[in-house]
Amino acid sequence: MNFEQKYLEAIKAFDAMAFVEAIQIYLDLLRNHKDRALKMRLEHEHARLVHNEMAIQFALQKVLIQRIRGDDLVTIDLAQFTHKHPFKIQYGANACAFLEHWKDGSDTFHKNRALAQERYTHLSKTYMDGQGNLDVVPGDVYAALWLVTDILDLETHLPDELTGYVNLGCGCGLFDGTFLQGKRNCTPASLIDIDPAPELSISEQISIHDLTHTAFSKEWTGYGNPPSLVLSIRSCGFLYGVDSYDSLFRSLETESQVLLDVAHRYVNETVGYFESIGAKTLKHPRINESVQLLEFRF
């Protein structure tokens, strides 16, 4: 069976709700033709959506197995789905405790939670004789749907090397722990959020990934050297204007990079601000239609 036939077989299986079969076929495709599959993902919108849905289903299945086993630490290894960063999501009880109510109030999160429960129920009935049909944990919904999508959308734009890192509106810190693990774990990193509630979750990420130079703060205080990467996912430029961190952005040096999820109402203002301080603007695809993923390079 050639590449095209196997790709179509995976899509047909997914559409028929044969989720485990679809993932097995798609993973086999990635093992044998990963470069071609990922190249197609970058070039075609439909292929990007297929890849994202397969990764989400893969993550849900991995989480469900670990919940049935009663694992204290949940791990979702996305290395097969990513281009250059071997991302591995890991989180425990503190992240889940924070996320229990953090996103529970939004319509989008309710829809995502319902989708996860639907997939869990289907997998339980089809492959486990109705056993293990657990209630969905909000932390798992965030990790398997929101975080997986964020990682796949952002990862090709993230630098291989860092001299410093700041996340504005870091929330529970799962993206940061996933990105900073491994060879980047010694990078000076400031995770900033005005809400002190995620501090325990961030401490958990620091411990899990041995992030030796990562710290949580409620504000940017300008300490140390300016970062080479500033990131904000649905926060700075989405909930509020970028001038809130004017001193940070003006401190950035040549070849620094800023990646922001920008709400449509803030696009012109945000682009104008960064161009006024000498940055070049790049726009990247984002599956989340409520934002534009904008990159600014100095």
Side-chain angles (χ1 to χ4, degrees):
M1 187 180 297
N2 62 29
F3 174 87
E4 290 82 2
Q5 290 170 327
K6 182 158 283 191
Y7 188 83
L8 289 173
E9 186 181 24
I11 294 174
K12 288 178 181 177
F14 193 92
D15 289 343
M17 298 181 67
F19 299 121
V20 173
E21 179 185 354
I23 295 304
Q24 289 172 339
I25 297 169
Y26 198 74
L27 288 175
D28 186 60
L29 192 75
L30 291 176
R31 279 190 291 271
N32 295 294
H33 306 282
K34 182 175 181 178
D35 288 347
R36 184 171 180 183
L38 294 186
K39 182 175 184 292
M40 188 167 71
R41 172 188 174 266
L42 290 177
E43 294 175 350
H44 302 284
E45 177 67 13
H46 182 262
R48 194 164 67 90
L49 294 172
V50 167
H51 189 77
N52 191 72
E53 288 300 320
M54 293 291 183
I56 287 173
Q57 182 62 33
F58 170 82
L60 286 171
Q61 291 176 191
K62 291 297 182 184
V63 169
L64 177 58
I65 292 168
Q66 291 168 82
R67 288 301 181 196
I68 291 171
R69 289 198 308 239
D71 293 355
D72 293 328
L73 182 69
V74 174
T75 300
I76 307 169
D77 189 344
L78 289 177
Q80 297 167 95
F81 290 87
T82 55
H83 289 257
K84 57 180 181 176
H85 297 285
F87 281 134
K88 182 183 291 185
I89 302 167
Q90 292 182 291
Y91 58 97
N94 286 337
C96 290
F98 172 70
L99 290 163
E100 183 68 32
H101 303 291
W102 182 57
K103 290 292 186 183
D104 252 359
S106 75
D107 290 340
T108 300
F109 199 79
H110 280 309
K111 290 177 183 177
N112 287 338
R113 187 171 185 170
L115 172 63
Q117 189 68 65
E118 178 186 307
R119 298 284 176 85
Y120 275 18
T121 301
H122 177 79
L123 291 167
S124 174
K125 288 179 179 178
T126 307
Y127 300 102
M128 295 179 288
D129 296 324
Q131 301 299 312
N133 187 21
L134 304 177
D135 289 333
V136 174
V137 176
D140 297 341
V141 178
Y142 173 79
L145 281 87
W146 293 43
L147 184 56
V148 165
T149 298
D150 290 341
I151 286 171
L152 294 182
D153 278 359
L154 270 68
E155 76 107 0
T156 55
H157 314 301
L158 296 169
D160 292 324
E161 302 295 334
L162 287 173
T163 59
Y165 172 78
V166 170
N167 186 346
L168 302 173
C170 63
C172 60
L174 262 64
F175 184 96
D176 310 296
T178 305
F179 174 51
L180 293 172
Q181 65 184 269
K183 69 177 184 178
R184 291 175 290 276
N185 73 328
C186 293
T187 301
S190 298
L191 310 188
I192 298 173
D193 203 301
I194 60 172
D195 183 357
E199 189 164 7
L200 285 178
S201 176
I202 291 168
S203 295
E204 182 177 74
Q205 287 295 298
I206 290 171
S207 175
I208 289 171
H209 299 295
D210 191 26
L211 306 181
T212 57
H213 290 74
T214 295
F216 172 75
S217 176
K218 291 180 63 179
E219 59 184 355
W220 168 252
T221 58
Y223 46 81
N225 296 323
S228 58
L229 173 64
V230 178
L231 172 75
S232 189
I233 299 172
R234 295 182 296 276
S235 189
C236 182
F238 181 70
L239 298 175
Y240 52 87
V242 293
D243 57 354
S244 298
Y245 287 97
D246 181 64
S247 62
L248 167 61
F249 295 132
R250 288 185 183 277
S251 76
L252 299 182
E253 299 176 346
T254 302
E255 298 186 1
S256 295
Q257 180 184 6
V258 177
L259 276 169
L260 302 178
D261 266 337
V262 180
H264 299 298
R265 70 182 185 278
Y266 282 127
V267 167
N268 290 339
E269 173 186 321
T270 302
V271 170
Y273 169 82
F274 277 102
E275 290 184 350
S276 75
I277 59 173
K280 177 183 177 182
T281 304
L282 300 169
K283 182 180 177 181
H284 302 301
R286 191 74 158 105
I287 286 176
N288 184 345
E289 294 182 352
S290 68
V291 301
Q292 292 188 29
L293 177 57
L294 298 183
E295 177 182 356
F296 303 97
R297 287 188 174 269
F298 288 82

